[in-house]
Amino acid sequence: SDAEYDSLWRELQTLETEHPALLIADSPTQTVGAEPVSAFDTVRHRVPMLSLANAFSEDELHDFDKRVRDRLDCAEDVSIDYVAEPKLDGLAVSLTYKDGVFVQGATRGDGSRGENITPNLKTIGSLPLQLPTDDPPSLLEVRGEVFMHKAGFARLNANAEQAGEKVFANPRNAAAGSLRLLDANITASRPLSLYVYALGELEGAPPPTSHYATLTWLRSLGFPVNDETTRCDGIAACYAWYQALGKRRDALPYEIDGVVFKVNDLAAQATLGFVSRAPRWAIAQKFPAEEAQTLVQAVEFQVGRTGAITPVARLQPVQVGGVQVSNATLHNMDEVRRKDIRIGDTVVVRRAGDVIPEVVRSLLELRPAETEEIVMPLICPMCDSKVEQIEGEAVARCTAGLVCQAQRKEAIKHFASRKALDIEGLGDKLIEQLLDQGLIEHVDDLFSLTQESVAALPRMGEKSAENLLKALSESQNTTLQRFIYALGIREVGEATAKALAENFGDLDSLMQADDEQLQAVDDVGPIVAKHVVAFFQEPHNQRVIRSLLEKGIHWPAPERVQVPVEGGLDGDIYVLTGTFDGMTRTEAKAALEQLGAKVTGSVSKKTTAVFAGDAPGSKVTKAEKLGVPVRDEAQLLALLATDQGAEA
């Protein structure tokens, strides 16, 4: 018990004070008194510490067994002897002994190199500092897992809470954080435990012939080995043991997230070998994500860097898979409606992939009489701009891409990018500095920067500041196409920006365009049109655009090309859809445009007619709905022949 341990500790301390000659280097009193180190040294593992492949179903476990049997060329009636071990949720470590004395401990790290955490590992009471044998191996490296029992974790967090300190999220984080402390005295106060599970390297002793024999031998040397470890005859026995342990999972005194199965015979392990990051002779069968019930106390809306607005449930705190969960994503309003989640509901929460908390479903049978429906806000919670949700899209977004605090960093990066205004020298780090220092808030503020303020930034100077201001000045002379693209309107790429610039000719016409006018432009469909309209209708965006123009951004007036046509198709708007026999759609488009017509990619009320070939698709349906004439290929050829003859 803790009390007995403390009593023995004090007795040892007294003996060493009264008899200094009895003090030895590996005494427990000497392993926690070192000064904090400035950093951990790097340790290169002699034998790589690899990861494990995972299985998430019975079929995947059987697939693993089949691969093992195929590589070992086993007969169908021969069962593979496996060893099953609980997969502890802790931190993997390597322990090295020379002539029976613990000399070095390290983390897994990247598999080839780890951190030297020897002083911290020495504080773990279950780790033998000297092996209890008269004939120890000259070199012994053991692999194990450092973890924290549930009870010890609860005590640690209770003490931290009482002291007003930050609590740990789960036992694994607590164990990993404790081992990486620079002061081993603090590590010694943490309730860490150890189980060993493998042999890394051995010299000066005959090697065991099986994995199970290895664990038995390590236990005889004083190493703690998990008592749940067992042998399984064949893969069916493995899965049965996995199911049985899963039922007892909550009753175990420590957290586990699955079961590890290993081929028992070491010669067979050597034959099977390794892939790049894992052995072929072992697999981790993971448990499904744990679930728990709790209450939805409120819902808040978060704004992402692309303007996406996500509902997040604020939950009554609950333990899920060893982690206290108080927030969970609801993804989008379609999901909220599909799962019928309301404020005040009792819901099932799961840690998706044992990491991200999500609300799985609402328990309607527990719904109280009064609940509150979740409603998407009409204005952005970050900047008070309008929220847009296009019909058919699940995600709602803030329309103020140029000013919203959640989006402004990405907006400025896009504005300065090569295909936009191409502001040389304005990279990600400098944008972050300008925002952090309060020198800019939105893109228009870039053109109010002074050389003095920029030069004062870290890693800048007079010359760098001068170059940036020069680049900003040069970027003001641009094109309408680049400027439209630079605004970052959703789904408006280079091609669409070019089409809009060529069609409208000036910015004012574009900003005042409605859905129908926009959809008459090639490359602009109904969804893009709605994004464009919503963007230019937002007053915050209008203000920034006016400011950009006032600060000197300009472009040359467009040169309008007049098609010399007499009695042709000037002013007509056509849409081509389907496959034509006599010509390609590209050829048909060129012929119509030569006669003065405009050919667009979408149908609107302003469309003169739709020419439909084979397999025309939804454009014909839309034309019929709008009352737009639909004509076939023969009528198209007749139109071209008539107008070409008239022109001649």
Side-chain angles (χ1 to χ4, degrees):
S1 68
D2 287 345
E4 187 177 9
Y5 180 89
D6 291 340
S7 175
L8 290 170
W9 173 276
R10 285 191 295 272
E11 183 181 349
L12 177 60
Q13 217 171 18
T14 302
L15 284 168
E16 289 176 345
T17 301
E18 293 176 353
H19 306 279
L22 298 178
L23 182 61
I24 56 177
D26 63 353
S27 168
T29 64
Q30 302 304 302
T31 59
V32 296
E35 290 292 322
V37 293
S38 59
F40 295 116
D41 295 329
T42 299
V43 172
R44 181 169 290 279
H45 302 303
R46 299 187 183 199
V47 178
M49 292 186 71
L50 301 180
S51 185
L52 287 171
N54 292 324
F56 295 94
S57 67
E58 184 177 4
D59 287 344
E60 290 180 358
L61 189 61
H62 281 277
D63 289 343
F64 162 72
D65 179 62
K66 185 179 185 303
R67 292 193 298 271
V68 168
R69 296 167 61 80
D70 289 347
R71 283 187 171 271
L72 295 178
D73 199 20
C74 290
E76 290 185 4
D77 59 345
V78 175
S79 295
I80 301 294
D81 184 21
Y82 289 104
V83 176
E85 307 165 14
K87 187 176 182 299
L88 292 167
D89 199 12
L91 188 74
V93 294
S94 165
L95 312 170
T96 302
Y97 292 78
K98 289 186 178 178
D99 298 321
V101 177
F102 176 60
V103 294
Q104 183 175 273
T107 62
R108 182 203 305 272
D110 63 3
S112 299
R113 297 173 301 169
E115 299 164 329
N116 188 337
I117 54 170
T118 306
N120 292 359
L121 285 168
K122 283 184 176 182
T123 69
I124 300 175
S126 55
L127 185 151
L129 299 177
Q130 184 165 348
L131 303 182
T133 175
D134 294 329
D135 188 23
S138 56
L139 177 65
L140 173 66
E141 188 215 342
V142 180
R143 274 49 189 300
E145 192 90 359
V146 174
F147 64 100
M148 197 173 285
H149 282 87
K150 294 176 182 176
F153 171 72
R155 288 197 305 272
L156 178 66
N157 266 355
N159 293 338
E161 199 167 24
Q162 190 174 4
E165 299 171 353
K166 185 178 179 180
V167 298
F168 287 98
N170 54 58
R172 188 196 183 282
N173 287 2
S178 299
L179 280 181
R180 289 194 170 94
L181 289 168
L182 297 181
D183 188 348
N185 287 289
I186 303 177
T187 305
S189 69
R190 304 284 171 81
L192 297 175
S193 297
L194 168 76
Y195 278 136
V196 300
Y197 57 75
L199 189 62
E201 195 170 26
L202 176 65
E203 293 177 6
T209 58
S210 73
H211 179 65
Y212 196 80
T214 299
L215 296 179
T216 302
W217 178 60
L218 290 174
R219 183 183 276 116
S220 73
L221 292 177
F223 290 101
V225 176
N226 195 307
D227 291 333
E228 296 287 347
T229 303
T230 188
R231 292 174 65 179
C232 297
D233 184 19
I235 204 66
C238 288
Y239 192 72
W241 194 82
Y242 160 81
Q243 289 180 305
L245 187 65
K247 293 177 181 177
R248 297 190 291 114
R249 180 183 181 186
D250 291 339
L252 294 174
Y254 42 76
E255 296 285 352
I256 62 172
D257 56 5
V259 178
V260 178
F261 297 107
K262 301 175 183 176
V263 173
N264 188 29
D265 186 84
L266 295 184
Q269 287 188 10
T271 300
L272 291 164
F274 302 83
V275 291
S276 60
R277 63 184 296 274
R280 291 193 179 98
W281 41 263
I283 196 165
Q285 176 83 29
K286 303 296 289 290
F287 289 122
E290 289 192 9
E291 296 181 346
Q293 290 182 204
T294 188
L295 288 173
V296 177
Q297 297 178 323
V299 170
E300 295 179 5
F301 290 86
Q302 295 180 346
V303 187
R305 62 181 181 83
T306 63
I309 298 178
T310 304
V312 177
R314 302 304 182 199
L315 307 171
Q316 187 177 78
V318 63
Q319 286 286 323
V320 185
V323 173
Q324 182 168 283
V325 172
S326 57
N327 304 315
T329 178
L330 297 174
H331 299 292
N332 54 61
M333 292 305 295
D334 284 356
E335 282 290 282
V336 170
R337 286 186 284 268
R338 184 179 69 82
K339 296 175 180 177
D340 191 12
I341 299 168
R342 300 182 186 181
I343 298 169
D345 271 347
T346 298
V347 293
V348 174
V349 181
R350 176 174 61 200
R351 290 178 64 209
D354 274 347
V355 177
I356 304 169
E358 67 171 348
V359 175
V360 181
R361 61 187 178 277
S362 177
L363 300 177
L364 299 181
E365 65 274 18
L366 299 179
R367 174 171 286 172
E370 294 183 0
T371 56
E372 184 181 341
E373 289 192 12
I374 300 168
V375 180
M376 174 63 68
L378 299 177
I379 60 172
C380 172
M382 290 289 288
C383 68
D384 294 335
S385 300
K386 290 181 181 178
V387 170
E388 167 202 37
Q389 184 164 16
I390 302 298
E391 185 178 351
E393 290 192 353
V395 179
R397 298 178 187 275
C398 168
T399 57
L402 293 178
V403 301
C404 184
Q405 290 181 354
Q407 303 175 70
R408 62 185 181 181
K409 178 183 172 184
E410 293 301 316
I412 295 170
K413 284 166 59 177
H414 177 78
F415 188 83
S417 63
R418 185 173 58 84
K419 295 178 181 180
L421 260 66
D422 193 18
I423 305 174
E424 188 175 350
L426 188 60
D428 294 0
K429 290 185 178 179
L430 181 54
I431 291 171
E432 288 178 9
Q433 282 184 296
L434 293 169
L435 286 168
D436 291 344
Q437 296 295 322
L439 296 180
I440 61 172
E441 285 191 40
H442 313 304
V443 291
D444 56 320
D445 296 325
L446 290 169
F447 301 98
S448 298
L449 290 170
T450 64
Q451 186 167 334
E452 182 182 7
S453 62
V454 175
L457 292 172
R459 294 183 298 279
M460 293 295 285
E462 293 295 333
K463 186 61 178 176
S464 298
E466 181 183 339
N467 290 339
L468 176 64
L469 264 62
K470 181 182 177 184
L472 284 166
S473 177
E474 291 174 349
S475 73
Q476 290 177 304
N477 183 12
T478 185
T479 65
L480 178 57
Q481 173 190 333
R482 278 181 171 269
F483 185 74
I484 294 170
Y485 175 72
L487 294 176
I489 305 169
R490 184 160 176 77
E491 296 192 36
V492 175
E494 291 177 85
T496 305
K498 181 181 180 182
L500 291 171
E502 290 176 349
N503 186 83
F504 289 97
D506 62 80
L507 186 61
D508 286 340
S509 298
L510 174 60
M511 292 179 69
Q512 294 167 16
D514 58 23
D515 273 18
E516 286 191 18
Q517 291 171 306
L518 287 163
Q519 289 186 56
V521 178
D522 203 12
D523 281 340
V524 176
I527 292 178
V528 175
K530 289 184 184 299
H531 287 313
V532 174
V533 169
F535 183 90
F536 285 123
Q537 283 182 346
E538 174 53 51
H540 292 93
N541 292 336
Q542 294 173 10
R543 182 196 63 76
V544 173
I545 291 170
R546 284 197 302 271
S547 177
L548 286 168
L549 299 178
E550 289 168 0
K551 290 179 178 180
I553 289 185
H554 62 280
W555 49 84
E559 295 182 10
R560 297 189 178 274
V561 179
Q562 299 295 330
V563 180
V565 176
E566 290 185 13
L569 304 177
D570 194 20
D572 288 354
I573 300 172
Y574 295 105
V575 172
L576 302 171
T577 181
T579 304
F580 299 106
D581 293 329
M583 66 181 74
T584 66
R585 283 199 347 224
T586 302
E587 290 170 340
K589 179 181 178 183
L592 288 167
E593 289 177 341
Q594 184 64 33
L595 294 170
K598 180 181 291 185
V599 180
T600 67
S602 58
V603 182
S604 73
K605 290 180 180 178
K606 295 188 177 183
T607 303
T608 304
V610 173
F611 288 107
D614 293 333
S618 62
K619 292 179 182 178
V620 169
T621 305
K622 184 170 182 181
E624 291 171 345
K625 188 182 295 185
L626 295 175
V628 174
V630 178
R631 299 170 182 168
D632 58 21
E633 183 177 358
Q635 290 171 301
L636 169 62
L637 294 173
L639 175 68
L640 293 175
T642 301
D643 278 280
Q644 284 171 352
E647 188 177 8

